[in-house]
Amino acid sequence: MALTGRAALVAALGSLPIGIWEPSWTGILAVNAPLAVACACDFALAAPVRRLSLTRSGDTSARLGETADVTLTVTNPSGRPLRAHIRDAWPPSSWQPGTEVEASRHHLAVPAGERRRITTRLRPTRRGDRQADRVTIRSYGPLRLFSRQGTHKVPWTVRVLPPFTSRKHLPSKLARLRELDGRTSVLTRGEGTEFDSLREYVPGDDTRSIDWRATARQSAVAVRTWRPERDRHILLVLDTGRTSAGRVGDAPRLDASMDAALLLAALASRAGDRVDLLAYDRGVRALVQGRTAKDLLPSLVNAMAPLEPELVETNARGLTATALRTAPRRSLVVLLTSLDAAPIEEGLLPHLPQLTQRHTVLLASVADPHIARMATARGNTEAIYEAAAAAQAQTERQRTAEQLRRHGVTVVDATPDDLAPALADAYLALKAAGRL
């Protein structure tokens, strides 16, 4: 490793007899005048750091798990060439563990009066905004005996968006939606359905669907066919309180709820429904309203990206009141929250009738797959105790879910991998039953 500054000078003089350099630095410099001159020249020829001009360009957003390239342009206005080591500092979660040193450090040479670009490739490990820290530059002389060092603030922000891994389920759910939407003939009845067309009666059709006026005008019995209503309103409510911070696998419950909300939003927008988002714990953390189908998903992922669980108990009264203000007309309210007994029984249940009287309510909760594995464990005393504890936890969740169903709430309780498609299926079932 090359030494710089006084350390290099002392190392160079260390080979001299002790009696020559021990008395004073004056004697050292007198004996080693050529080296001192070389060091002074090397320092003088190093390009000044503070006169450099730095700008950024590149990606401003990326999905979690993908890469983002941020380009740093270094302009050298001085008359001396720049030979430098550069550290482009970002928060630790901007890279995979163990890759920061390689990704953030660069070697650069910029001739006098010219500019060069270097690219820092980020691979964030968490959602949210990642903001660039300072850029540290160490400028060397041609002999690399001395260096100048300084820092520059070059602001830049990369927003890390939710990954939307459940997108893979969208084609199959859209195929089911097309069946319900009348592109293939289906006969459905119930509140909230729209008349589609007339067709000839066949044995097994519901006699309540017979159109007697149309039958009187023709020789065959005619029945009405229906399709689910379009332009319904759906309010997605994300609970960002303390229960959403519990980790299931490698991610908090909030991330699985976001993924499920994105799949439902994509499906509902294709069905012609209007979708809004409310994130709440003790206050409104995010609100997305009035977006068109084209702008809906970008708006949702942008609003969800900086959300983090708050380690406070969710104010159920405030959440209910805010949901009612956000959805003044009859809507499908989708609560993405916990099925833990205490928050439901002490928080949500007393205020739930206010929602169910006006809206159709669907509650989706993230279940822990580890509990299901524990419930099947056997073989030793510890495993049996774990199985008993898991069975008790499952029974408690089922009891809480049953309480919600008695209030007219549709409950979806599934593991992170299954929650998004299960929630989409519940939405399609409500549409098929004409309950929207």
Side-chain angles (χ1 to χ4, degrees):
M1 179 181 294
L3 299 176
T4 61
R6 181 172 175 174
L9 185 59
V10 171
L13 300 176
S15 58
L16 297 176
I18 294 179
I20 297 178
W21 62 273
E22 188 177 41
S24 69
W25 275 97
T26 304
I28 296 173
L29 294 177
V31 174
N32 294 274
L35 180 58
V37 171
C39 291
C41 292
D42 198 50
F43 179 78
L45 292 174
V49 173
R50 299 198 179 278
R51 291 180 58 189
L52 299 175
S53 174
L54 281 72
T55 58
R56 289 191 188 273
S57 60
D59 296 332
T60 56
S61 64
R63 290 195 180 277
L64 183 65
E66 298 178 354
T67 59
D69 291 338
V70 180
T71 300
L72 183 68
T73 302
V74 181
T75 303
N76 178 18
S78 70
R80 287 165 278 178
L82 173 69
R83 310 167 188 84
H85 289 168
I86 296 179
R87 179 176 183 260
D88 189 5
W90 291 75
S93 59
S94 301
W95 290 281
Q96 296 289 336
T99 64
E100 177 183 357
V101 173
E102 180 182 357
S104 64
R105 286 165 171 77
H106 308 272
H107 299 277
L108 185 65
V110 185
E114 296 186 16
R115 69 182 65 180
R116 293 289 186 271
R117 294 181 177 88
I118 56 175
T119 298
T120 300
R121 173 159 292 182
L122 310 179
R123 193 177 183 89
T125 58
R126 291 179 58 188
R127 285 182 298 100
D129 292 336
R130 298 293 169 267
Q131 297 180 343
D133 200 352
R134 58 182 59 87
V135 178
T136 303
I137 302 176
R138 179 173 293 175
S139 173
Y140 292 92
L143 300 178
R144 305 182 71 83
L145 295 175
F146 274 83
S147 66
R148 304 170 185 261
Q149 182 167 307
T151 60
H152 288 258
K153 279 283 190 180
V154 193
W156 194 260
T157 301
V158 174
R159 173 156 287 190
V160 186
L161 307 173
F164 194 9
T165 55
S166 62
R167 185 191 296 269
K168 61 188 177 184
H169 298 291
L170 187 57
S172 62
K173 304 308 174 187
L174 288 175
R176 173 62 178 153
L177 177 64
R178 284 192 291 271
E179 295 178 1
L180 295 178
D181 201 28
R183 292 189 179 92
T184 59
S185 295
V186 293
L187 179 67
T188 61
R189 281 190 56 83
E191 179 185 356
T193 57
E194 293 180 342
F195 172 73
D196 184 30
S197 61
L198 292 171
R199 64 172 174 81
E200 187 175 346
Y201 173 85
V202 295
D205 284 342
D206 191 335
T207 56
R208 292 174 296 175
S209 296
I210 297 176
D211 189 318
W212 295 109
R213 290 185 180 181
T215 300
R217 293 194 298 268
Q218 59 188 30
S219 59
V221 178
V223 294
R224 302 184 189 96
T225 60
W226 310 80
R227 58 188 173 87
E229 284 187 272
R230 303 176 71 86
D231 198 29
R232 300 297 88 192
H233 181 226
I234 298 174
L235 177 62
L236 303 172
V237 182
L238 278 175
D239 180 358
T240 55
R242 66 167 184 84
T243 56
S244 67
R247 300 188 73 84
V248 179
D250 295 330
R253 283 185 167 90
L254 180 60
D255 285 29
S257 297
M258 288 181 181
D259 194 49
L262 288 174
L263 180 63
L264 179 56
L267 181 62
S269 64
R270 298 285 186 91
D273 295 335
R274 295 173 291 112
V275 182
D276 293 338
L277 170 73
L278 170 67
Y280 193 95
D281 43 69
R282 288 188 175 272
V284 177
R285 301 300 176 188
L287 182 62
V288 177
Q289 287 182 291
R291 297 297 193 272
T292 63
K294 180 180 178 181
D295 297 332
L296 178 63
L297 280 182
S299 299
L300 291 181
V301 296
N302 193 56
M304 291 178 179
L307 289 179
E308 294 292 345
E310 298 290 331
L311 300 182
V312 296
E313 199 70 44
T314 298
N315 182 355
R317 180 195 296 269
L319 184 149
T320 303
T322 305
L324 290 172
R325 287 196 304 270
T326 307
R329 297 181 180 180
R330 185 165 185 83
S331 308
L332 171 63
V333 176
V334 181
L335 296 174
L336 293 124
T337 185
S338 167
L339 260 183
D340 293 347
I344 294 294
E345 294 175 0
E346 299 174 12
L348 183 61
L349 279 180
H351 308 285
L352 193 58
Q354 301 176 49
L355 279 178
T356 55
Q357 286 173 5
R358 185 187 300 179
H359 303 299
T360 301
V361 180
L362 193 161
L363 186 144
S365 180
V366 182
D368 191 345
H370 182 61
I371 292 180
R373 291 193 294 270
M374 287 173 56
T376 61
R378 297 294 186 273
N380 54 48
T381 304
E382 182 179 354
I384 293 174
Y385 277 115
E386 287 183 353
Q392 182 179 0
Q394 290 174 332
T395 301
E396 189 175 73
R397 286 179 73 88
Q398 292 169 1
R399 181 176 60 83
T400 303
E402 189 57 37
Q403 286 182 292
L404 292 168
R405 293 188 181 100
R406 285 198 293 268
H407 283 77
V409 178
T410 302
V411 178
V412 176
D413 185 21
T415 60
D417 292 338
D418 298 330
L419 181 65
L423 180 58
D425 287 339
Y427 162 77
L428 292 173
L430 290 174
K431 269 187 114 53
R435 292 182 57 191
L436 297 187

